[in-house]
Amino acid sequence: MFEWFATTLRQYPEIALFLVLALGYYFGKFTFKGIGLGSVTATLLAGVLIGQLGITIQTPLKATVFLLFLFAVGYGVGPQFVRGVAKDGLPQAIFSVVQCLFCLAAPVVIAKLAGYDLGYAAGLYSGSQTISASMGLATDAINRIGMPPEQSKALLDSMPIAYAVTYMFGTVGSALVIALLGPVLLRINLPAACKEYEQQQGGGQAELGGANSAWHRWEVRAFEVQAGGPVAGLRAAEAEGMLPDARIFVLRVRHHNGAIEEATSDTVLNAGDVVAIAGARDVIVKVIGARTAAAGTGQVPTPKEVDDPELLSMPLEGVDVYVTTKDVDGKTLAELAKSPGARGVFLRKITRGAVATSIPILANTKIYRGDIVNIVGRTQDVAITVKLLGVPDRPTDVADVAFIGASITIGALVGALVFKVAGIPITLSTAGGALIAGLVAGWFRSVRPTFGRIPTSTVWFMNSVGLNMFIAVVGISAGPGFVNGLKTQGVGLFLWGAAASTVPLILGLFVAKYVFRFHDALTLGIVSGARTTTASLGLVCDLAKSQVPALGYTVTYAVGNTLLTIWGMVLVLILSK
């Protein structure tokens, strides 16, 4: 039975590939106290295991899925990458370059000290910096050196060995160094720093409530306008302006004759009218409490809350909006809240970047092209705000495949060009070209959203499955020599990998605080992004009890993810001289 199974996999390697993916994704999802292999490492180990059967997979498949993956990476980070290099995120982008140079220098020095060949050096770099994609560019670089096929194969087979041995500490160790050791080394009180930052940026509100919660932040309630009350005779805009520090709106009015009117900023509120007021629950409660207390002194008529189902029954809509409008790019939430087009609409969530980082909602939080914001309000108000911000990001399963294919083609063709500098051939390679094409395509989509749409689920598939199919082929191909290499290099390779992970991060932490002087609340998020370690960001935010560190993650992640991937090729070029 086993012999039949093995023979079948050798005859039909595509079956082996899907088996490796199944095993990798299944075992990669298991964690112990938040720590696990992850799908990439689990897929690699599954590939190595299945590869012991001596399965051969053709090279074009590996190259094809890798191009899909790199394009998806670039597409996801394109808007943040361009913004970081060209605009407000410039200091963070420059720091990310410095951090990436540390991440390259440490493995290069260690490879020379330990005497590792190009394959082990590239694998150590990829694993210690947890940048799996760099193995693809390193593979291209090794193949272009001009070595005999047998020698190139030996180097390529050693690469996944080093990657597998060093990746675990690269993931777990990085999170521990940044989130636990970082505050100690830099003497940062992270929760206090985040509270201070929130106060500086206009305060914040914890993200509570939701579909499964009895508490909801935004509410609509009905009140009767009292004769002699403070709002009697005022326009809706004037009444709303009585609370300049809160967003509260009059949405509908039932006049004393029973007629219901959709309120505008010019609607006059008369005594006896019943008004539907929308706003934050805490604001409405405090306003009612304050008015009632004042009424107890006999100075102000008591506000009267009424139950008016017909008045409160109005069409509401919550929608994700893809921010594309140039006029709102870089503006703060406080500035946007004053726009006429934002009247009656409330912001529930901001997500940014390829990993959909949740951005805290503060008065001075800036909105950028490429962000996705979730807003809620009356249908007509939401429609106006959507035009102000960009386009609705409504669920769809249709991707612009023509755009994907053309972009990868153009990028790969440009990357295939070879230029000689001082007799040395310089090229991006087709993989590097696909990455750059993704960056340009992602940025262009953020400013011209009429085409080039790739649903989030499709980007995930290209990103995750594309990478893991590449890793599966690498593992299957390297399987026969993996065990022996692990026996001979294991402990020493692990320790060298730990050093390659730790040293650049410690250097980066000190540079971020004392050279770039980033705010303490952002420093750890900035370092996490530059090193592209999402695990550390999650731990940092948990320890901070705030999402503020995420504000420093997106620009640095975009720059870091791009450079750390390209470094796989650069490392081979440096060490091959």
Side-chain angles (χ1 to χ4, degrees):
M1 182 68 179
F2 178 79
E3 184 59 34
W4 169 84
F5 178 72
T7 301
T8 302
L9 293 186
R10 295 189 195 102
Q11 185 177 357
Y12 302 101
E14 61 272 21
I15 299 177
L17 182 60
F18 282 105
L19 175 60
V20 170
L21 286 178
L23 294 173
Y25 275 97
Y26 179 75
F27 288 104
K29 68 182 179 181
F30 292 106
T31 61
F32 177 72
K33 295 185 177 180
I35 299 174
L37 289 175
S39 62
V40 176
T41 304
T43 297
L44 175 62
L45 296 177
V48 168
L49 177 63
I50 301 300
Q52 304 302 316
L53 301 177
I55 299 168
T56 301
I57 297 180
Q58 299 300 317
T59 302
L61 173 62
K62 181 171 70 172
T64 300
V65 295
F66 192 63
L67 290 185
L68 278 174
F69 160 71
L70 285 177
F71 176 81
V73 168
Y75 184 89
V77 303
Q80 289 73 40
F81 182 88
V82 174
R83 175 172 64 83
V85 172
K87 204 173 180 183
D88 295 332
L90 186 58
Q92 294 182 14
I94 294 174
F95 168 77
S96 191
V97 173
V98 174
Q99 179 66 67
C100 290
L101 288 173
F102 289 153
C103 292
L104 173 64
V108 167
V109 172
I110 286 173
K112 290 185 176 181
L113 290 175
Y116 290 136
D117 60 31
L118 292 179
Y120 277 109
L124 180 142
Y125 165 75
S126 299
S128 64
Q129 310 308 317
T130 62
I131 192 76
S132 313
S134 68
M135 287 197 292
L137 292 177
T139 298
D140 285 348
I142 290 175
N143 286 330
R144 290 175 181 272
I145 291 176
M147 296 180 179
E150 297 79 10
Q151 187 176 356
S152 294
K153 186 178 185 308
L155 294 177
L156 296 179
D157 287 349
S158 63
M159 194 185 304
I161 299 171
Y163 172 86
V165 172
T166 58
Y167 180 85
M168 183 57 71
F169 185 88
T171 301
V172 179
S174 296
L176 297 178
V177 169
I178 294 175
L180 300 183
L181 186 59
V184 175
L185 293 176
L186 303 183
R187 298 180 181 179
I188 293 176
N189 184 329
L190 194 55
C194 290
K195 288 182 180 179
E196 177 191 2
Y197 187 87
E198 288 177 356
Q199 292 173 354
Q200 292 175 356
Q201 301 300 311
Q205 172 73 41
E207 293 301 317
L208 302 174
N212 297 318
S213 173
W215 183 90
H216 295 278
R217 183 177 183 187
W218 308 112
E219 286 195 350
V220 181
R221 296 167 71 166
F223 299 91
E224 182 179 343
V225 178
Q226 299 294 299
V231 301
L234 297 182
R235 293 185 302 111
E238 294 171 333
E240 295 162 0
M242 295 178 67
L243 294 172
D245 296 328
R247 302 196 74 232
I248 191 165
F249 302 101
V250 177
L251 299 184
R252 306 181 92 192
V253 178
R254 181 190 289 278
H255 296 294
H256 61 277
N257 61 3
I260 294 178
E261 176 188 357
E262 297 294 332
T264 68
S265 58
D266 293 325
T267 298
V268 177
L269 309 182
N270 297 308
D273 288 347
V274 178
V275 297
I277 297 177
R281 179 187 178 94
D282 59 333
V283 173
I284 294 177
V285 169
K286 289 177 181 178
V287 169
I288 294 173
R291 295 285 184 265
T292 302
T297 66
Q299 299 175 358
V300 181
T302 305
K304 181 181 179 181
E305 184 170 8
V306 299
D307 180 24
D308 193 333
E310 184 182 7
L311 179 69
L312 296 176
S313 296
M314 68 189 79
L316 298 178
E317 182 179 13
V319 64
D320 288 333
V321 183
Y322 191 71
V323 179
T324 61
T325 308
K326 184 178 181 180
D327 291 341
V328 305
D329 186 41
K331 286 191 175 181
T332 65
L333 295 180
E335 292 172 329
L336 292 174
K338 298 176 182 177
S339 303
R343 183 183 182 276
V345 173
F346 300 97
L347 177 63
R348 295 193 293 192
K349 187 177 182 181
I350 308 171
T351 55
R352 179 176 298 162
V355 293
T357 304
S358 181
I359 302 299
I361 299 174
L362 306 171
N364 290 329
T365 296
K366 293 184 178 181
I367 295 294
Y368 297 103
R369 285 179 174 181
D371 288 349
I372 296 177
V373 297
N374 182 267
I375 59 175
V376 63
R378 286 187 304 178
T379 301
Q380 60 265 43
D381 294 331
V382 167
I384 295 173
T385 305
V386 168
K387 291 181 180 179
L388 171 71
L389 297 176
V391 295
D393 190 47
R394 302 189 188 279
T396 178
D397 56 0
V398 178
D400 191 341
V401 180
F403 177 78
I404 296 172
S407 299
I408 294 177
T409 299
I410 295 171
L413 286 173
V414 173
L417 298 175
V418 179
F419 302 94
K420 288 191 176 182
V421 179
I424 300 175
I426 304 296
T427 178
L428 281 175
S429 79
T430 56
L435 176 62
I436 301 302
L439 288 170
V440 174
W443 168 79
F444 196 70
R445 158 72 181 168
S446 72
V447 298
R448 294 288 187 274
T450 54
F451 64 93
R453 178 180 177 81
I454 308 177
T456 302
S457 57
T458 305
V459 175
W460 176 87
F461 184 88
M462 294 169 62
N463 197 323
S464 180
V465 179
L467 174 61
N468 280 301
M469 288 185 74
F470 169 79
I471 293 297
V473 175
V474 169
I476 291 172
S477 301
F482 185 91
V483 176
N484 183 57
L486 191 60
K487 288 180 180 178
T488 58
Q489 301 288 345
V491 177
L493 187 58
F494 176 84
L495 295 177
W496 281 120
S501 298
T502 304
V503 173
L505 289 176
I506 292 177
L507 291 175
L509 287 168
F510 282 103
V511 169
K513 180 173 176 64
Y514 296 109
V515 177
F516 285 83
R517 299 185 180 278
F518 294 125
H519 193 286
D520 286 349
L522 304 180
T523 296
L524 302 183
I526 288 171
V527 175
S528 296
R531 182 44 179 70
T532 67
T533 169
T534 307
S536 70
L537 178 67
L539 185 54
V540 167
C541 290
D542 285 345
L543 295 174
K545 299 177 182 179
S546 169
Q547 285 297 117
V548 166
L551 287 169
Y553 185 81
T554 55
V555 169
T556 52
Y557 175 87
V559 177
N561 201 30
T562 303
L563 292 182
L564 290 177
T565 299
I566 294 173
W567 279 182
M569 174 177 61
V570 174
L571 178 138
V572 172
L573 295 176
I574 292 174
L575 294 178
S576 63
K577 292 183 179 179

